[in-house]
Amino acid sequence: MSDAAQPTAAEVRAAAEAVKAALDRHLAAVERRTGDDDTAVYEAFNALATAAEAYDELLYDRYDEVTPFEIPGADGNLPPYTGPDEPHAVSLLIRRDYAVAEPQRLLAQARRVAELGDTTDTAAAARAGASPLAALGMLFGEYEPDEIASRHKEFGLEEGDSTLWVTAAEELPEPGEWLGAPFDHADPERIVCRFDVSSVFDGEEDEEDGVDGVDGMDEPVVDVAVGPTDV
């Protein structure tokens, strides 16, 4: 960055003063809070986050230094919530990843479903027992996603990462409105809470606890991020 584009020392100092003032306002709001969903606390929280982020950026630009602040939105945390205080609709956005760890088990389960079903399409049934793509279509058409999640090993699948976002809205969308592109308009600032599952959290918890992993305990760990009710 050129010297002309750098913030001045006075601008950095003003940003630091803004952080101090935002800290005072946040503490005052917390001391006067009237409940878990106190709007004043929520607004003071967002103002403090904004002031801290601005100071952090100016400090780095001017002096090539950083702060220890964790700004909402970094490292997987939620950005400040900007959705309705009293949502009248909720959307769940879910992603689950699986590896096809045992293709033969997957094909065998698909054949079993085809044999037990009432399908008259013998060609489709045969494809389900021979083609992994057809087998996946058969199984996910037969079972609910939650059942597959709980029985994934039976189907030759291995769990990867998964996430669930709970987002708030003013009203329910019109029927069919988003079906063409269901995930294109996900707004992180309207997330009420999210639940992430990943094996990456295993190592983090072991480091925090100061203990080694226990044999047989290979289930992914859930990491929960909470939105406006967390302030």
Side-chain angles (χ1 to χ4, degrees):
M1 180 180 293
S2 67
D3 290 340
Q6 285 184 339
T8 65
E11 288 174 328
V12 178
R13 173 62 60 182
E17 294 300 326
V19 172
K20 297 175 186 177
L23 278 168
D24 289 338
R25 288 195 297 271
H26 182 259
L27 177 57
V30 170
E31 291 172 337
R32 297 192 302 267
R33 75 185 309 160
T34 58
D36 291 340
D37 56 352
D38 192 305
T39 303
V41 175
Y42 162 65
E43 291 176 349
F45 173 88
N46 286 341
L48 176 56
T50 300
E53 183 172 18
Y55 172 62
D56 189 84
E57 291 177 355
L58 291 173
L59 186 71
Y60 181 80
D61 290 345
R62 176 68 185 183
Y63 299 110
D64 199 26
E65 291 290 345
V66 296
T67 71
F69 302 146
E70 291 188 11
I71 308 303
D75 301 326
N77 293 326
L78 297 182
Y81 177 78
T82 62
D85 291 335
E86 298 183 8
H88 295 98
V90 172
S91 295
L92 304 184
L93 295 95
I94 302 173
R95 172 172 173 167
R96 294 182 177 129
D97 288 351
Y98 298 97
V100 180
E102 299 180 69
Q104 294 306 314
R105 182 183 291 271
L106 173 70
L107 296 174
Q109 286 287 5
R111 282 196 298 269
R112 177 176 175 276
V113 169
E115 291 168 359
L116 294 177
D118 297 328
T119 180
T120 58
D121 190 342
T122 55
R127 286 196 300 273
S131 164
L133 282 177
L136 288 169
M138 175 72 73
L139 292 174
F140 278 88
E142 176 71 17
Y143 298 103
E144 292 290 335
D146 286 346
E147 184 169 3
I148 289 180
S150 65
R151 300 173 55 188
H152 61 278
K153 292 183 179 179
E154 295 179 34
F155 303 130
L157 303 176
E158 180 180 300
E159 284 184 317
D161 289 354
S162 68
T163 188
L164 165 65
W165 293 14
V166 182
T167 64
E170 297 285 0
E171 58 185 19
L172 203 64
E174 292 294 325
E177 181 178 330
W178 49 259
L179 291 178
F183 304 110
D184 281 3
H185 303 292
D187 185 352
E189 294 185 351
R190 285 180 171 253
I191 296 175
V192 178
C193 55
R194 63 179 286 178
F195 303 86
D196 298 329
V197 179
S198 176
S199 59
V200 73
F201 301 134
D202 288 333
E204 293 176 2
E205 290 217 340
D206 289 346
E207 290 175 5
E208 292 174 1
D209 296 340
V211 297
D212 295 330
V214 180
D215 290 342
M217 296 294 288
D218 58 354
E219 291 299 316
V221 177
V222 179
D223 185 53
V224 181
V226 183
T229 57
D230 194 40
V231 298

